[in-house]
Amino acid sequence: MIATVLWERELHQRGGGSAFVVGPDCVVLHERHTRLVCLERADGAVRWDVPLGSWPRGIALAGDRVLVLPQIPNLLSCIDLRTGASLWSAPIPRWTGNLTVHSDTVVIGGWRGYTPMSGLDLADGGVRWTTPSAVTSVRTVAWAGGVLTGSGHEAVLLDPADGSDLARWRLPDPLTGPDAKAFVPVDAERVVAVCEASSLVTFGVDAAEPARLGSYDRFGAVGSIHRSVWMLPSGRGFLAVDPADGTSTWSVKADRRIVVAPLPYDDGVLLGDANGGIQRLGPDSRTVEGCSLPGRRLDALAAADDGLFFAAKGTFGSFTLSPRTEHPTTSGSGAGAHSVRDPTETTAVGR
């Protein structure tokens, strides 16, 4: 397997500190500490480049619009994805965090209990509703026709139109802290909650009570892939579990620090490490092929449709993977051809 960089752009800041979102034909990312840039997915050409502010707490795409929540200034901005023109900006309280778009409503607030939660009209930024006082919410996510929020032992599905409760669940364990990922949607009807003491709890839109999947070694990241929930117990491996009963579906150990998060690729998974190495794992979690992006210290990998992207130390780019060509060789005695094995290929530990 060979990795070929299609295009690359200097960020003039850490790749891991560059929030980005990938759209159908473009990538929107934060760079140079105070700029928001839209790049064409095909060749990395700049579509637009506008001033924004520092270190966004959230970036979200909504059709032909992009919503951005910077730390400074205290404004929620809505930008035309095609032109970079400002469609509207809304003043927000200091320390506003959490940004989720559902249909025609933008829901913000509740981060660390600093501010109220509010629902704003996507069309013009007008306030549709706001809580009467500050509330505490974990990181919100759009799911099951609403916006999922919560704190402590409670998970709440809000109606984005008016902020009322659509559903409420009492969890057996308290939710994780406000800065970690708290909810992992598995499908349209079930979600896994990340709780304290590294436990996972599953619940859904049915009438069943939330159920504890299990407690695991402390992990620093979590997500879903191929209908499994994966965890990163350390920087050197992944564990994936079945969201129905918490049993292990696959696990991977590595001798290098792995970049979060694993990506679905064909019927398997792509993993990247901090030194630029990339492994393609088959469905049984064993390494099929390996390659590298030389000279790049990876911070993140991302995929969308048929595009692959990387954030590295100081740069962001697009790359593609292709099969390694087998070169037949013939000895002086006329021996037959043999395939050349990728020297970076390693074997991961199976389930």
Side-chain angles (χ1 to χ4, degrees), residues 221-236:
V222 65
S224 63
I225 191 168
H226 294 320
R227 296 187 63 81
S228 289
V229 175
W230 61 260
M231 295 164 283
L232 183 66
S234 71
R236 299 185 182 276

Side-chain angles (χ1 to χ4, degrees), residues 65 76 78 87-90 104 106 120-128:
R65 300 174 177 223
L76 172 65
C78 180
L87 299 176
W88 53 262
S89 60
D104 59 355
V106 185
L120 282 65
D121 192 318
L122 177 61
D124 58 13
V127 178
R128 290 182 166 177

Side-chain angles (χ1 to χ4, degrees), residues 25 64 85 89 150 169 243 283:
D25 61 354
D64 59 358
S89 60
W169 297 267

Side-chain angles (χ1 to χ4, degrees), residues 30-319:
H30 182 256
E31 65 173 53
R32 289 170 286 162
H33 304 283
T34 60
R35 309 291 296 187
L36 194 71
V37 178
C38 182
L39 307 177
E40 301 290 344
R41 271 182 47 169
D43 56 10
V46 177
R47 180 183 296 183
W48 47 260
D49 179 342
V50 299
L52 172 70
S54 63
W55 309 120
R57 291 198 174 101
I59 298 180
L61 294 180
D64 59 358
R65 300 174 177 223
V66 57
L67 285 299
V68 192
L69 187 64
Q71 293 187 27
I72 299 173
N74 300 317
L75 290 173
L76 172 65
S77 297
C78 180
I79 298 169
D80 190 310
L81 188 60
R82 298 161 299 182
T83 66
S86 176
L87 299 176
W88 53 262
S89 60
I92 54 177
R94 187 184 183 191
W95 308 119
T96 296
N98 294 333
L99 169 64
T100 300
V101 181
H102 185 286
S103 185
D104 59 355
T105 304
V106 185
V107 178
I108 58 172
W111 176 59
R112 294 186 176 181
Y114 291 145
T115 68
M117 291 188 71
S118 301
L120 282 65
D121 192 318
L122 177 61
D124 58 13
V127 178
R128 290 182 166 177
W129 56 268
T130 189
T131 57
S133 59
V135 298
T136 299
S137 169
V138 296
R139 287 167 57 180
T140 54
V141 62
W143 174 73
V147 173
L148 192 56
T149 178
S151 65
H153 285 268
E154 284 198 319
V156 183
L157 187 65
L158 297 179
D159 186 336
D162 59 13
S164 61
D165 291 2
L166 294 174
R168 186 177 289 264
W169 297 267
R170 179 73 179 177
L171 306 178
D173 300 315
L175 288 163
T176 188
D179 298 320
K181 189 173 186 176
F183 297 120
V184 182
V186 177
D187 52 37
E189 297 185 344
R190 297 208 67 75
V191 68
V192 169
V194 181
C195 298
E196 292 181 2
S198 299
S199 69
L200 299 181
V201 172
T202 181
F203 62 92
V205 295
D206 54 26
E209 290 293 319
R212 185 185 289 110
L213 292 177
S215 294
Y216 305 88
D217 291 339
R218 184 175 180 180
F219 54 88
V222 65
S224 63
I225 191 168
H226 294 320
R227 296 187 63 81
S228 289
V229 175
W230 61 260
M231 295 164 283
L232 183 66
S234 71
R236 299 185 182 276
F238 285 98
L239 169 68
V241 298
D242 189 325
D245 57 16
T247 57
S248 175
T249 55
W250 52 270
S251 63
V252 175
K253 292 182 180 179
D255 58 1
R256 294 179 178 178
R257 186 176 68 83
I258 294 177
V259 177
V260 180
L263 300 178
Y265 187 76
D266 294 334
D267 59 349
V269 177
L270 287 183
L271 296 181
D273 66 55
N275 293 328
I278 298 174
Q279 298 179 55
R280 181 167 71 90
L281 309 181
D284 60 356
S285 82
R286 292 198 172 272
T287 302
V288 177
E289 294 177 285
C291 61
S292 64
L293 291 168
R296 296 168 179 86
R297 296 193 60 81
L298 295 177
D299 287 312
L301 296 177
D305 301 326
D306 58 348
L308 295 170
F309 305 89
F310 66 88
K313 184 179 180 180
T315 67
F316 183 92
S318 172
F319 70 102

